[in-house]
Amino acid sequence: MILPRITVRDIKAMKRRGEKIVMLTAYDYSTARILDEAGIHILLVGDSLGMVVLGYESTIPVTMDEMLPHVKAVARGAKRAHVVADMPFMSYQTGPEEALRNAARFLKEGGAQSVKLEGGQEVAEIVHRLTLAGIPVMGHLGLTPQSIHQLGGYHVRGKTKEQAAKLIADAIALEEAGAYSIVLESVPAPLARVITQRLHIPTIGIGAGPWCDGQVQVIHDILGLYPDFVPRHAKQYLRLGDLIRQAVTSYAREVAEGTFPGSEHSHSMDEETLAEVLALVGR
Ligand code: KIV
């Protein structure tokens, strides 16, 4: 039975029913299919792809042109999951017109069902314009990696009274602007709980404790596939990097030994046909 696509209405209803929302990043067709079949509710084509797929040091260099093929691939693989496309740095901060143009590309060309962008009160007007145009928006507060040079590092946000009060005000501003959910990244758990209780829309935490309405992780982090850095908030369910290393080492050894490919992995041709071919080419 094919289940209908998960919509922003469904995601908001999950908060009302007290059901946890499960979100993971995905960047390619094959992974998207597996996550979709596993019942993951939301697939985020995060700009984290800049680091875990493209090998940049941060998410700052990521462009719309780099994001779009990945959004398309994930959208092809996800039949039921809700696909969110992450707006890269400077694809929306420059103003509502450019934000509308770029977000629309993710829906029209990419096949995503919503977009995500970072920031609070300073992007509320942009969130409002996008939602008015029929583009659902997921917010992102706390540690916002696109502002890494401004924040001065990948640290927990909201530990001081001023930061915590601003985070609450930012979350309310995003909700009032029309966002359908908000990612809270690297925020003290009790503060995330207060924000979650205050909002009508769901919060989705990453390093924000257990009381958010849902959780998101970078797929490479939980599978043990990103060698550069394992964030404190990530649990490695698998050491896929080690498994891949073992597998390709075996492959390389078998190729070197001449034991791969064996007859079961080769296509045969009878000797008679081969002889006819050789006669045909004059040998
Ligand atoms: O880009 C990304 O993967 C994200 C998640 C960490 C929420 O924004």
Side-chain angles (χ1 to χ4, degrees), residues 85-120:
D86 215 359
M87 306 276 300
F89 183 53
M90 283 302 140
S91 68
Y92 57 97
Q93 291 94 335
T94 44
E97 300 311 321
E98 197 163 1
L100 275 167
R101 219 176 6 258
N102 286 322
R105 285 190 75 193
F106 277 151
L107 268 63
K108 281 171 74 111
E109 297 171 44
Q113 284 87 49
S114 67
V115 300
K116 176 171 87 57
L117 51 81
E118 297 181 8

Side-chain angles (χ1 to χ4, degrees), residues 28-52:
D28 67 277
Y29 170 79
S30 308
T31 310
R33 271 196 70 167
I34 296 169
L35 303 189
D36 191 60
E37 284 161 15
I40 303 302
H41 303 118
I42 306 179
L43 303 191
L44 168 67
V45 189
D47 63 353
S48 50
L49 85 83
M51 297 174 75
V52 301

Side-chain angles (χ1 to χ4, degrees), residues 154-193:
Y154 294 95
H155 310 300
V156 177
R157 301 293 299 167
K159 278 184 131 177
T160 65
K161 273 184 282 181
E162 293 73 22
Q163 279 181 12
K166 178 163 176 3
L167 267 178
I168 295 172
D170 281 342
I172 292 170
L174 289 178
E175 175 169 277
E176 285 173 354
Y180 74 90
S181 65
I182 301 176
V183 167
L184 296 177
E185 178 166 354
S186 296
V187 170
L191 178 62
R193 186 187 58 206

Side-chain angles (χ1 to χ4, degrees), residues 6-21 180-181 200-202 213:
I6 295 174
T7 66
V8 294
R9 259 183 90 171
D10 300 322
I11 294 162
K12 288 198 273 190
M14 286 176 79
K15 176 177 178 120
R16 288 196 296 276
R17 292 196 297 265
E19 281 171 35
K20 291 283 187 186
I21 299 159
Y180 74 90
S181 65
H200 301 98
I201 57 172
D213 298 302

Side-chain angles (χ1 to χ4, degrees), residues 107-170:
L107 268 63
K108 281 171 74 111
E109 297 171 44
Q113 284 87 49
S114 67
V115 300
K116 176 171 87 57
L117 51 81
E118 297 181 8
Q121 290 153 87
E122 66 283 5
V123 295
E125 173 59 19
I126 289 167
V127 172
H128 183 58
R129 289 284 300 276
L130 293 179
T131 52
L132 277 184
I135 302 172
V137 181
M138 177 181 279
H140 185 156
L141 292 173
L143 170 53
T144 45
Q146 291 177 13
S147 309
I148 201 63
H149 296 310
Q150 177 81 5
L151 301 177
Y154 294 95
H155 310 300
V156 177
R157 301 293 299 167
K159 278 184 131 177
T160 65
K161 273 184 282 181
E162 293 73 22
Q163 279 181 12
K166 178 163 176 3
L167 267 178
I168 295 172
D170 281 342

